[in-house]
Amino acid sequence: MVCGVKTLGQFIIEKQADFPYAKGELSRLLRDIAIAAKIVNREVNKAGLVDILGDIGTTNIQGEEQKKLDVYANEQFIAALTSGGECCIVATEEEDDIIHIESPVSQNAKYIVCIDPLDGSSNTDVNVAVGTIFSIYRRKSTAGKASIEDVLQKGTAQVAAGYIIYGSSTMLVYTTGKGVNGFTLDPSIGEFCLSHPEMKMPETGYLYSINEGNYVHFPEGVKKYLKYCQVEDDATRRPYTSRYIGSMVGDIHRNLIKGGIYIYPTTSRSPNGKLRLLYECNPMALIIEQAGGKASTGFDRILDIDPTELHQRVPIFIGSKNMVEKAEEMMRIYTKKSTAPEEKLETKLAGMGIVGGLD
Ligand code: AHM
Ligand code: MG
């Protein structure tokens, strides 16, 4: 029987030829991530069967509850990157500080991985798609121990980025800056197989994804854009359809295939937005741009932001080019671009003598 599938491993080796001086380190790093993803996938899929759902009772640096699966996924990716030997620092959503990988095999490692091991984990209790998002940089420093400065690089410096969606089927989608390719996990052979070669995002879509429950807290430009999406206009096929899973990977994956826009703007409660630049917005922005879409803060390109801190948050407008540009137009007209980072609501409230926020 002739085998017609191309596995992720075969594809990566084939693509290595695009980089004539590559020594295979990046390929091995991607392989390590894919191995951990398969292990996480196994746990996510049997989550309802074992006592792994629910809160673990600890909080991460952002004060959010960690789920058992978050912790499990975090451990698996760190373990795979440690034993793989190609990565010198991991920055993860689940850890306050960067993790230096100091194993004998990783002494000459030159890659930095920023990762959200299990994004959208509030959805794990209800069988809704969750994902892993990763971003890979080459360290800037040439000698000594790599440091936080090696991690705080612009999104344009990413050498690769990708996500894994643990959904009705499990997919790994990644880019090394030469287009986007998607692989579906075939559980019967335990391999990611090329299923979505050269993914391209429609320039215009008809789906918008945003947590509309926060409407009253949105900037005026976002409110105006939402009204634009909801107005009837046959020529532009409006009103658009609203689709929001609350799982960034799920929402963006759907919009990548069908066309659409995903927005997580600043709100009066989260003045810098909710999503993290290094391991959520930058990798997704690179993938979407490589597929022909656009990713912006509402004013500026996400990939051009100079990061200042590890867990930095930014507003994001990401998806089909024409939709993002329309939303940016509304932002320019109706919302004043703030030049300084806004004071956190908690700080403002504390200044007013209200401690512990409004909740
Ligand atoms: P998480 O990293 O704590 O899982 O949060 C990120 C998730 C995204 O996947 C999702 O799009 C967003 O948060 C949903 O937020 P909200 O519930 O505020 O709409
Ligand atoms: Mg996340």
Side-chain angles (χ1 to χ4, degrees):
M1 199 179 87
V2 179
C3 170
V5 299
K6 182 169 290 176
T7 68
L8 176 65
Q10 291 167 335
F11 184 86
I12 288 173
I13 290 169
E14 223 177 87
K15 289 290 157 192
Q16 211 176 293
D18 290 349
F19 305 91
Y21 301 107
K23 295 197 203 105
E25 290 134 314
L26 180 61
S27 303
R28 287 195 290 275
L29 190 56
L30 290 166
R31 174 208 59 191
D32 299 337
I33 290 171
I35 292 170
K38 285 188 220 173
I39 297 171
V40 171
N41 175 64
R42 192 182 59 197
E43 286 317 297
V44 170
N45 279 334
K46 68 178 186 202
L49 300 171
V50 290
D51 182 28
I52 202 163
L53 288 180
D55 305 336
I56 200 169
T58 55
T59 52
N60 63 12
I61 191 171
Q62 278 102 203
E64 300 154 331
E65 265 175 1
Q66 283 181 300
K67 299 282 174 181
K68 284 181 187 175
L69 271 172
D70 293 13
V71 176
Y72 181 82
N74 193 42
E75 288 167 357
Q76 291 305 323
F77 281 102
I78 293 171
L81 293 169
T82 304
S83 59
E86 304 300 347
C87 168
C88 54
I89 290 183
V90 185
T92 140
E93 179 178 323
E94 299 302 331
E95 310 273 350
D96 303 0
D97 296 317
I98 52 173
I99 301 169
H100 290 275
I101 307 283
E102 280 162 346
S103 75
V105 282
S106 59
Q107 271 172 5
N108 299 316
K110 59 173 182 238
Y111 288 106
I112 313 277
V113 175
C114 300
I115 190 161
D116 183 351
L118 202 68
D119 184 68
S121 53
S122 63
N123 283 317
T124 50
D125 288 352
V126 290
N127 265 0
V128 171
V130 288
T132 296
I133 312 172
F134 63 90
S135 168
I136 300 175
Y137 292 87
R138 199 169 284 116
R139 64 177 283 189
K140 288 190 296 186
S141 54
T142 49
K145 202 169 159 180
S147 72
I148 182 75
E149 301 309 322
D150 290 296
V151 179
L152 299 179
Q153 299 189 48
K154 285 186 183 180
T156 45
Q158 292 172 101
V159 291
Y163 63 78
I164 297 110
I165 177 166
Y166 310 100
S168 47
S169 62
T170 293
M171 274 190 76
L172 186 150
V173 173
Y174 85 102
T175 179
T176 52
K178 289 181 186 289
V180 180
N181 290 282
F183 300 79
T184 302
L185 182 64
D186 180 342
S188 67
I189 58 168
E191 294 281 2
F192 284 105
C193 301
L194 182 63
S195 53
H196 294 62
E198 290 168 33
M199 296 173 86
K200 284 281 167 232
M201 178 160 212
E203 281 210 345
T204 296
Y206 307 99
L207 300 175
Y208 69 96
S209 315
I210 186 167
N211 184 345
E212 262 180 290
N214 291 330
Y215 187 85
V216 290
H217 301 293
F218 288 156
E220 201 50 34
V222 173
K223 289 181 179 171
K224 287 284 192 303
Y225 180 67
L226 292 180
K227 284 294 156 227
Y228 169 85
C229 292
Q230 292 160 358
V231 160
E232 194 157 34
D233 177 53
D234 288 345
T236 51
R237 282 182 50 187
R238 282 179 289 148
Y240 297 151
T241 294
S242 164
R243 287 281 181 275
Y244 189 70
I245 302 171
S247 172
M248 187 194 201
V249 175
D251 279 309
I252 292 187
H253 180 70
R254 181 204 52 239
N255 291 357
L256 166 58
I257 291 173
K258 296 193 164 186
I261 184 170
Y262 171 96
I263 306 176
Y264 211 109
T266 58
T267 67
S268 43
R269 295 180 143 220
S270 309
N272 299 318
K274 174 183 181 187
L275 299 176
R276 274 57 55 121
L277 175 62
L278 290 181
Y279 40 78
E280 292 176 324
C281 299
N282 268 341
M284 286 307 201
L286 185 66
I287 294 165
I288 291 301
E289 281 199 7
Q290 282 291 314
K294 225 178 153 177
S296 141
T297 60
F299 297 100
D300 302 305
R301 186 182 178 211
I302 292 282
L303 295 178
D304 284 334
I305 300 173
D306 225 339
T308 51
E309 49 183 285
L310 191 56
H311 297 287
Q312 185 172 345
R313 297 174 193 264
V314 289
I316 186 163
F317 296 63
I318 181 167
S320 292
K321 187 169 167 288
N322 295 340
M323 298 181 91
V324 173
E325 284 174 357
K326 189 74 191 172
E328 284 179 320
E329 183 189 321
M330 298 295 188
M331 290 296 284
R332 269 196 309 274
I333 300 172
Y334 297 104
T335 297
K336 192 169 169 291
K337 180 181 172 185
S338 90
T339 44
E342 267 191 69
E343 199 181 3
K344 281 193 173 161
L345 182 64
E346 292 75 24
T347 321
K348 277 186 196 163
L349 293 173
M352 293 157 66
I354 303 167
V355 180
L358 289 174
D359 296 320

